[in-house]
Amino acid sequence: MGIEACKFIEFPIVHDPRGNLTFVESNRHIPFDIKRVYYLYDVPGGAERGGHGHKSLHQVIIAMSGSFDVILNDGSRSHRYHLNRSYYGLYVAPMMWREIDNFSSGSVCMVLASEHYDETDYFREYQEFIQAAKHKSTVK
Ligand code: TYD
């Protein structure tokens, strides 16, 4: 799975003069069972998060409030996505190097994840990720 697998997903909106409502359901709007939810908030101006990759984790990233950029890199191609609406999620396939920056003040970045937290699923070193990504693309 390369970077072309990473796409924006538009969630349903129930428009209402009292305020809009959006919902997301596992295996309907989200292409996996959601086992974990985490969120980044109180991010200081200029901060960068998430310089890492995952071996098998599937994720959907949502800007619940404010905006930020997600930069994905599959080992050969890289793309910057701007997230600024809570009714869009960015699907992040496994084996992507992921960085998040350009946080607006008060922004909240929520991540829906396919697995419980597991440090052994991380690539913390970019070189290690690149080697694994290159190996994967040659043994396909
Ligand atoms: P990390 O994924 O490295 O965040 P970022 O790449 O955005 O800086 O996580 C930061 C710390 O939080 C790390 O020590 C692991 C811990 N953590 C959990 O305990 N559970 C979780 O679900 C997540 C995402 C992180």
Side-chain angles (χ1 to χ4, degrees):
M1 244 188 307
I3 204 166
E4 66 281 352
C6 301
K7 290 200 167 81
F8 278 111
I9 303 168
E10 188 169 0
F11 304 129
I13 306 174
V14 183
H15 293 279
D16 192 306
R18 299 169 302 162
N20 298 332
L21 183 151
T22 283
F23 55 96
V24 296
E25 297 179 356
S26 290
N27 298 306
R28 282 197 175 160
H29 315 103
I30 305 295
F32 50 80
D33 272 334
I34 300 166
K35 282 205 187 153
R36 176 166 54 110
V37 177
Y38 65 92
Y39 29 96
L40 303 170
Y41 55 98
D42 292 347
V43 179
E48 294 174 14
R49 298 289 312 228
H52 62 241
H54 284 282
K55 296 170 189 166
S56 59
L57 190 71
H58 299 256
Q59 301 177 88
V60 170
I61 304 177
I62 305 169
M64 294 304 285
S65 182
S67 65
F68 49 82
D69 291 352
V70 177
I71 306 102
L72 300 180
N73 174 350
D74 67 4
S76 51
R77 284 160 302 168
S78 167
H79 192 80
R80 177 178 285 268
Y81 306 81
H82 185 61
L83 278 70
N84 63 353
R85 293 280 180 250
S86 56
Y87 52 84
Y88 277 109
L90 177 65
Y91 169 67
V92 180
M95 292 301 293
M96 296 292 147
W97 188 261
R98 184 198 86 178
E99 286 164 23
I100 311 178
D101 66 11
N102 200 21
F103 286 93
S104 69
S105 74
S107 57
V108 179
C109 168
M110 185 172 80
V111 184
L112 311 177
S114 64
E115 299 298 336
H116 296 156
Y117 175 73
D118 175 9
E119 185 61 36
T120 67
D121 190 62
Y122 277 76
F123 289 102
R124 293 284 185 189
E125 298 298 329
Y126 184 66
Q127 282 313 320
E128 190 199 344
F129 165 76
I130 287 292
Q131 284 194 348
K134 289 211 157 66
H135 178 71
K136 204 161 184 251
S137 64
T138 53
V139 294
K140 242 194 286 191

